[in-house]
Amino acid sequence: MDTSKYYFVFLGTGCSSLSIIMRMIESHNFSQKKILLIDKEEKTKNDRTWCFWEKDAGFFDEIVFKKWHNLNFKTDDLTIALDIDPYTYKMIRGIDFYNFCFKRIRQQDNIDVIYGNISFGENVSSNRVFYNGQDLAFRKEVIIFNSIFSPPKAAKNKFYLLQHFKGWIVETPVPFFHPEEATLMDFRTSQIHGTTFFYILPLSSTRALIEYTLFSEKLLDSQDYDKALQEYCDRNLSLKNYTIVNEEFGVIPMTNAFFPHYFNGMYNIGTAGGQTKASTGYTFQFIQKQATLVVEKLNQDKLIPEIKKTLSRFDFYDSTLLHILSKKIMTGKKIFSILFQENDAFLVLKFLDNQTTITEEYRLLNTLPKKTFLTAGIKELMKMLPF
């Protein structure tokens, strides 16, 4: 395979790679430069759903499958109607995203897509990439973006949780759901495994995505997810007559471990490049910010700077929350209940999006138990100091 013609190479064709490539196409500044995409297999399944909040129309607004302006937060003791204005809560289905992107990609004469096994050379000073065992031998000048996630090696004083979830899209024979009203978090379920809640995202009056989500160190047995979903539908929703029309399962790392921006001759992007928010697992919007900045620098023929998902103080906040959750000092149920009960919902979402000012953060954090968060915060701050 002749690799000398390529200027850009993308390893993996998930959200981060496609978000950058679509912006490169949109800019019309890269049509004379060959681009290669490599993945293990073609994207033909609706393997995931991205949900996020946004003020205005975003880059991928054309394929937003559903929007909600009304959200609820629930526990055994309270139900809160969340006023998220000026945000809109949005859903993009994986299959719609892939189809949209690859339709544009197939129209570009300068972009090649191949499928097969990807592996890497052992020499960390090189950019050796193997495709089905064949060394592709890229030029030193080629820019390689890697979105293939490898779990970080365990490091002292770091926390490692998993956000794992299983979702059912269910359909009822008669209207049952309120399509304009979604449930962001419903904690009316056992917390024995750690922070555990359900999403309810109605797609119509007869169809909804119901998702069981946990923050814990280990995955459950596969049947436990189905059991929890069935019990929730039966006990909490009084939903008995339904058909499961689709399922999805996913695992997202929640860790304050270090993810290198540039390693082994490649730029790491997406989750592989630390764009997943450590304390919540939210990724989609951080990837969009990263993609915008990457293409902005490429358009200027500048080196790609280290693109962090956050200012350092947000890293500190994430580490403090991970500290509390990992050591089971306080439950996620209690923390999120206080946040949404004592603060405007739009401010909580703004904070989780790393967009708040220090003044707003002080007001919001001041509603949390001071001793608990101050003690954990001091311990995490000490780890960050250079001595």
Side-chain angles (χ1 to χ4, degrees), residues 124-381:
V124 297
S125 64
S126 70
N127 60 359
R128 294 180 67 188
V129 178
F130 294 86
Y131 166 68
N132 290 335
Q134 175 190 359
D135 190 342
L136 294 182
F138 293 113
R139 296 178 296 113
K140 290 184 178 180
E141 297 77 14
V142 72
I143 295 177
I144 302 177
F145 293 102
N146 173 50
S147 65
I148 300 173
F149 174 75
S150 296
K153 294 181 180 180
K156 185 179 180 181
N157 294 327
K158 297 297 183 181
F159 300 106
Y160 303 89
L161 292 179
L162 300 173
Q163 179 182 145
H164 44 117
F165 52 88
K166 183 165 188 179
W168 287 350
I169 293 183
V170 302
E171 190 168 59
T172 59
V174 296
F176 183 87
F177 303 102
H178 300 287
E180 303 308 318
E181 185 175 297
T183 298
L184 181 66
M185 287 178 163
D186 187 344
F187 281 96
R188 295 177 298 163
T189 187
S190 170
Q191 303 295 303
I192 191 172
H193 299 294
T195 300
T196 307
F197 56 92
F198 284 84
Y199 288 101
I200 306 176
L201 303 177
L203 309 178
S204 70
S205 61
T206 59
R207 183 175 286 213
L209 170 61
I210 302 173
E211 194 157 278
Y212 179 52
T213 302
L214 306 96
F215 299 173
S216 64
E217 294 180 351
K218 298 179 180 180
L219 303 182
L220 305 183
D221 293 334
S222 58
Q223 66 269 18
D224 291 337
Y225 298 98
D226 290 323
K227 181 180 178 182
L229 281 160
Q230 185 176 359
E231 288 179 352
Y232 179 79
C233 290
D234 186 13
R235 184 179 64 249
N236 298 94
L237 300 184
S238 298
L239 175 60
K240 302 181 186 302
N241 188 11
Y242 60 89
T243 302
I244 302 169
V245 297
N246 195 27
E247 298 182 358
E248 64 177 36
F249 178 81
V251 182
I252 301 171
M254 295 175 61
T255 176
N256 57 351
F258 174 70
F259 291 89
H261 162 62
Y262 186 81
F263 180 73
N264 201 14
M266 307 171 201
Y267 292 99
N268 291 318
I269 57 176
T271 297
Q275 297 305 304
T276 293
K277 185 170 173 63
S279 62
T280 63
Y282 285 115
T283 305
F284 187 83
Q285 283 296 72
F286 293 110
I287 284 177
Q288 302 314 310
K289 295 172 188 177
Q290 181 191 52
T292 298
L293 185 54
V294 165
V295 177
E296 177 184 301
K297 295 302 179 183
L298 291 176
N299 276 325
Q300 298 169 358
D301 289 325
K302 293 183 178 180
L303 293 175
I304 301 171
E306 181 168 359
I307 301 166
K308 299 189 69 177
K309 66 179 183 304
T310 172
L311 299 172
S312 59
R313 70 177 189 271
F314 289 103
D315 286 331
F316 167 66
Y317 301 148
D318 285 339
S319 292
T320 300
L321 183 55
L322 281 177
H323 180 117
I324 292 170
L325 293 178
S326 296
K327 293 182 178 294
K328 298 180 173 59
I329 299 170
M330 181 180 289
T331 65
K333 176 181 179 179
K334 181 67 173 177
I335 294 169
F336 284 106
S337 294
I338 294 172
L339 284 175
F340 283 114
Q341 195 170 17
E342 301 295 331
N343 300 277
D344 292 329
F346 80 88
L347 181 61
V348 178
L349 297 186
K350 186 178 180 182
F351 176 67
L352 296 179
D353 208 25
N354 296 350
Q355 294 296 313
T356 44
T357 65
I358 292 178
T359 301
E360 289 172 325
E361 291 149 26
Y362 175 79
R363 191 169 81 230
L364 186 147
L365 295 173
N366 200 44
T367 63
L368 294 167
K370 296 177 179 59
K371 182 178 179 180
T372 299
F373 277 80
L374 186 60
T375 301
I378 289 173
K379 290 180 179 179
E380 291 308 307
L381 184 61

Side-chain angles (χ1 to χ4, degrees), residues 81-94:
L82 304 178
D83 181 5
I84 64 171
D85 186 66
Y87 291 114
T88 299
Y89 197 69
K90 303 179 180 182
M91 170 196 283
I92 291 179
R93 301 191 311 166

